Each structure stands twice: as structure tokens, then as C-alpha cells.
Amino acid sequence: ETGVTQSPTHLIKTRGQQVTLRCSSQSGHNTVSWYQQALGQGPQFIFQYYREEENGRGNFPPRFSGLQFPNYSSELNVNALELDDSALYLCASTPRVNGGTDTQYFGPGTRLTVL
Amino acid sequence: QKEVEQNSGPLSVPEGAIASLNCTYSDRGSQSFFWYRQYSGKSPELIMSIYSNGDKEDGRFTAQLNKASQYVSLLIRDSQPSDSATYLCAVNFNTGGFKTIFGAGTRLFVKA
């Protein structure tokens, strides 16, 4: 167990809807990253938040947005859902002591299905 | 375009053998390197991190990094059936914003 929790575990939405996924970081970790993992592929980096500010972003459109709260928990919001958004969404937290060298610890993920 | 490449496998080895997993990356600005193991339906779990050239050993696992060749590998000694999983190579960059790039993973099967 990494101490990173995510909710919900599973979610089914229809095309065009909006979804919010939640992540609670490991205690003492001030950085959170979000990933999308399609079946049979490696995780794809969506973005990272450090002390409530976006610190880096992958090649995802603006309809993927996020928030980090003062307690370092985080949300991933996806608007205008598309069928290709069906994936496992992973949250990872980091202590952010050494910048880019820090290890990321993953939560169990949220399985999103878009119909 | 920053890329991380792995052989997709599957790699099949007998129980007790050494499994060798390889990963190459394209960006010389890469700072840190990680191997994760992922069982089907589960999230990635960290096996090893490595930051400088050379070997790093932890139990049955050895990570090797060669920055000149842009190559990182993972050796698993005395492979066990419980090692059967997908192994993901990940590379961190922190130039112009933080980013982690994962390879697509190598599926390993250890036959009893």
C-alpha cells in the first residue's frame, strides 16, 4: 500500500458528459501527478501539480483540467467526454524534495468507461 | 519529442533463470529513471530507481544505467512465477516543466 487513495474505483459515463476524479496524496507529499492508461499501453502523463500550481503538462487537450487543494489532495476534471477517454486514470504523489528525481507512488486508479 | 521505448514482449523465461528487460530513451536531458511492475488490473508499483551511471542492486533486482547510450535495463535473478507481470520503464524530465514518460511495458512470463 502506498497511502495514495483514489475515488471512485469505477465510473461509467456517456459521451459528452463531464467527470471529476479525486486523489488523496500520501501524507507529507506535496506533489501529485495524473496519468491516463489505456488497455495494453503504458501510463500517459496528463499533468503535475506542485503546491497548488500546475508544474508540467503532457499532450492532453484543455478539456482535461486539474486542481490541487491546500491539503495536497487533487482532482482531475474531464469535460465533453469522448469514447477514447475510456481508460484507467492513475494518480501518483511525490514528496518533491529533489525536484525531478523524486519517486512517484501510485494510487489504485479509477477505471472510467465512456459509452 | 521525448520517447521511451521497450520491447513489448512477451518475454518468457523458466523459473530460476535471469530475466533481462531493456529500455531506451531519446532525451539526454532525462534526470531520473524508474522501473515499475504492474500486475493485470492493478496500478504500477515501484521496483527500482536509478539516477547515475552504473549498476544498482536490490535483492534479486539489478538496474543498470548508461546515459551515454541512453539505455537503462533491469535484471531479475532467480525469476519466480510471481514475477510474471508487465514491467514499465519510466523517465523523469524537468526542463521546461516536469514530465514523466513511460514506455509501453514488457510482459514477462516466468514458467514454473
Side-chain angles (χ1 to χ4, degrees), chain A residues 7-8 11 13 18-22 75-78:
Chain A
S7 63
L11 199 54
K13 291 285 189 177
Q18 178 267 342
V19 69
T20 297
L21 309 181
R22 294 179 174 83
E75 289 182 353
L76 165 65
N77 299 289
V78 186

Side-chain angles (χ1 to χ4, degrees), chain A residues 33 35 37 40-43 45 48 55-59 88 90 96 99-109, chain B residues 1 31-32 34 36 38 41-46 49 51 88 92-94 96-105:
Chain A
S33 303
Y35 294 84
Q37 188 176 24
Q41 298 183 17
F45 178 74
Q48 182 185 80
N55 182 57
R57 189 177 182 93
N59 298 322
L88 180 67
L90 296 162
R96 192 58 190 271
T101 63
D102 291 333
T103 299
Q104 297 176 67
Y105 298 91
F106 284 86
Chain B
Q1 179 75 12
Q31 293 185 288
S32 50
F34 304 87
Y36 288 86
Q38 187 172 29
K42 302 295 186 182
S43 62
E45 56 178 318
L46 179 72
S49 60
Y51 307 115
L88 298 163
N92 281 3
F93 309 84
N94 201 14
F98 178 87
K99 185 175 289 189
T100 297
I101 306 295
F102 276 83

Side-chain angles (χ1 to χ4, degrees), chain A residues 35-88:
Chain A
Y35 294 84
Q36 180 194 68
Q37 188 176 24
L39 203 60
Q41 298 183 17
Q44 300 293 309
F45 178 74
I46 303 175
F47 43 56
Q48 182 185 80
Y49 278 81
Y50 170 58
R51 292 185 175 178
E52 303 176 57
E53 296 288 331
E54 188 178 288
N55 182 57
R57 189 177 182 93
N59 298 322
F60 280 81
R63 61 188 183 85
F64 286 79
S65 63
L67 282 174
Q68 188 182 30
F69 300 100
N71 66 355
Y72 302 132
S73 65
S74 177
E75 289 182 353
L76 165 65
N77 299 289
V78 186
N79 294 321
L81 283 167
E82 301 176 359
L83 297 179
D84 285 349
D85 295 334
S86 295
L88 180 67

